[in-house]
Amino acid sequence: MANSTNNYNGALQHPIGSGFDAASTATDVIKGISLQGKTAIITGGYSGIGLEAAKTLANAGVEVYIPARTIEKAAGNLAGIPNVTILEMDLMDPASIDAFAEKFLALNKPLDILINNAGVMWTPLRRDARGYESQFSTNHLGHFQLTARLWPAIKSAQGARIVNVSSWGHHMASIDLNDPNFDHQAYDPSVSYARAKQANVLFTVELDKRAQAHGVRSFSLHPGAIAVTDLGRDIPEEGFRALGVYEEDGSFRHDPYNGYKTLEEGASTTVWCATSPKLANIGGVYCEDTEVAAIDQDWQGFKSDKFEMTKGVTAEAVNGEKAQQLWTLSEKLTGITFAVS
């Protein structure tokens, strides 16, 4: 039985001495860890840090399943990587998520690692078929549904890990549980993104509390600011400039200790959360720089005139009451009772 302590209100948000840091890579963190015979699902595992994580795990002997909206694009990006199977899925389409989960469950394989990595960022206002705003639908609700549907396979792995890729961006706004889909307020792409990323952290807190009795632990993380991914396809260049990802000469900024990372460095925290033995008896925590983060005690709210990435997780994002409320709301919006039993 795993340690039953939960991370409500940041009870476990303390660095643990991982032995790694902001410049560690995915390959560094997996050295010496036996993963032969393990099975993983990675959403968005065919581009950006998801692809880097998929490559790292597949090369270490993990059988990796990649759900993809566009099979051809995924196949092209994953060409030459062993142990990879691509199956169709669209996170904004509930029927598509159910169909993917059914296909996977029919394989009767335990699911050792689920990495909820796919995401969209700062998109114009779009809605799914239910009328739900696309960033909340893709980044949170789709992953909530996927995790719920895959639960039998996760539970049967006896020691599975669920990794939810969040972002430092969760600092930039507070989730609105009364109007998550911008039905009654003006839409702001950066606010919507921040709320969805806060939802990833809150989901992790509550999921870990409920799932650890079954030997399942959950983690959220900030990978770093990485310019060379598909995530920012809707962001104009001046938006990226405001985030500080470019040097004056126009090249990408590489400054891992201040949060600006390569893909290999960006994927390290994901892979560490999914595999590190040091995390065997902890969960529900937000991680960054290949380490458990501290609470960002100095955070005073976002100031748009001066962008600066701080370290740590906001107290609000690990609030136990909010985590419970988001779970209830997610069940209501998806129509799924996620009974962790």
Side-chain angles (χ1 to χ4, degrees):
M1 179 72 72
N3 181 343
S4 64
T5 313
N6 65 67
N7 193 37
Y8 272 12
N9 307 320
L12 303 173
Q13 282 297 155
H14 313 286
I16 60 169
S18 70
F20 299 107
D21 69 7
S24 299
T25 67
T27 309
D28 293 336
V29 305
I30 214 165
K31 275 185 192 135
I33 298 175
S34 172
L35 295 164
Q36 226 51 29
K38 301 277 189 193
T39 301
I41 289 174
I42 307 176
T43 69
Y46 55 92
S47 69
I49 57 167
L51 174 57
E52 199 59 41
K55 224 186 290 185
T56 305
L57 292 176
N59 286 329
V62 177
E63 194 173 351
V64 181
Y65 288 81
I66 309 280
R69 210 172 38 194
T70 315
I71 299 276
E72 298 72 31
K73 179 183 176 182
N77 290 358
L78 292 159
I81 301 170
N83 308 321
V84 168
T85 303
I86 305 163
L87 294 171
E88 198 172 345
M89 190 186 82
D90 179 352
L91 276 167
M92 284 222 314
D93 178 355
S96 164
I97 296 170
D98 286 354
F100 169 83
E102 278 166 29
K103 265 188 200 156
F104 182 81
L105 293 175
L107 301 172
N108 286 316
K109 287 176 182 288
L111 179 57
D112 303 282
I113 299 168
L114 170 60
I115 300 177
N116 290 320
N117 160 85
V120 293
M121 179 178 182
W122 293 12
T123 55
L125 179 58
R126 298 179 184 129
R127 296 190 181 276
D128 68 15
R130 299 167 293 192
Y132 299 162
E133 186 275 318
S134 69
Q135 293 191 80
F136 188 62
S137 175
T138 302
N139 298 349
H140 170 61
L141 290 178
H143 284 127
F144 180 88
Q145 177 175 343
L146 179 65
T147 306
R149 295 305 194 210
L150 291 170
W151 178 248
I154 294 166
K155 188 168 76 166
S156 74
Q158 299 179 320
R161 293 195 188 176
I162 301 163
V163 180
N164 298 311
V165 178
S166 180
S167 166
W168 179 89
H170 79 273
H171 282 74
M172 294 170 70
S174 298
I175 195 164
D176 185 344
L177 295 168
N178 295 315
D179 187 20
N181 292 304
F182 290 84
D183 293 322
H184 307 291
Q185 61 193 293
Y187 177 73
D188 181 315
S190 61
V191 168
S192 171
Y193 179 71
R195 289 176 177 178
K197 292 289 116 180
Q198 192 181 92
N200 296 151
V201 186
L202 289 165
F203 174 43
T204 299
V205 170
E206 187 64 19
L207 177 60
D208 187 79
K209 179 178 186 288
R210 294 175 183 231
Q212 62 182 274
H214 304 283
V216 179
R217 304 309 300 246
S218 186
F219 305 88
S220 65
L221 67 108
H222 168 54
I226 302 136
V228 285
T229 73
D230 281 352
L231 185 60
R233 55 187 168 265
D234 285 302
I235 304 174
E237 191 174 320
E238 57 270 22
F240 271 128
R241 288 203 181 281
L243 295 175
V245 299
Y246 291 117
E247 299 287 10
E248 281 182 16
D249 65 3
S251 62
F252 291 129
R253 180 177 173 188
H254 181 231
D255 183 5
Y257 295 99
N258 284 305
Y260 299 90
K261 303 189 181 189
T262 63
L263 284 171
E264 294 81 3
E265 292 162 350
S268 71
T269 308
T270 299
V271 173
W272 182 72
C273 287
T275 62
S276 173
K278 288 206 170 185
L279 293 168
N281 293 310
I282 188 173
V285 290
Y286 171 95
C287 303
E288 69 186 355
D289 296 340
T290 334
E291 175 61 280
V292 178
I295 300 272
D296 188 352
Q297 303 284 12
D298 302 324
W299 183 246
Q300 299 293 320
F302 183 62
K303 297 175 184 64
S304 56
D305 56 329
K306 185 178 184 297
F307 179 78
E308 188 183 0
M309 258 192 300
T310 52
K311 297 287 183 186
V313 63
T314 64
E316 184 178 47
V318 289
N319 179 282
E321 195 180 345
K322 267 201 160 174
Q324 293 169 35
Q325 289 169 347
L326 175 67
W327 188 283
T328 303
L329 176 67
S330 304
E331 287 190 325
K332 183 180 161 194
L333 292 175
T334 58
I336 291 167
T337 302
F338 186 173
V340 180
S341 60

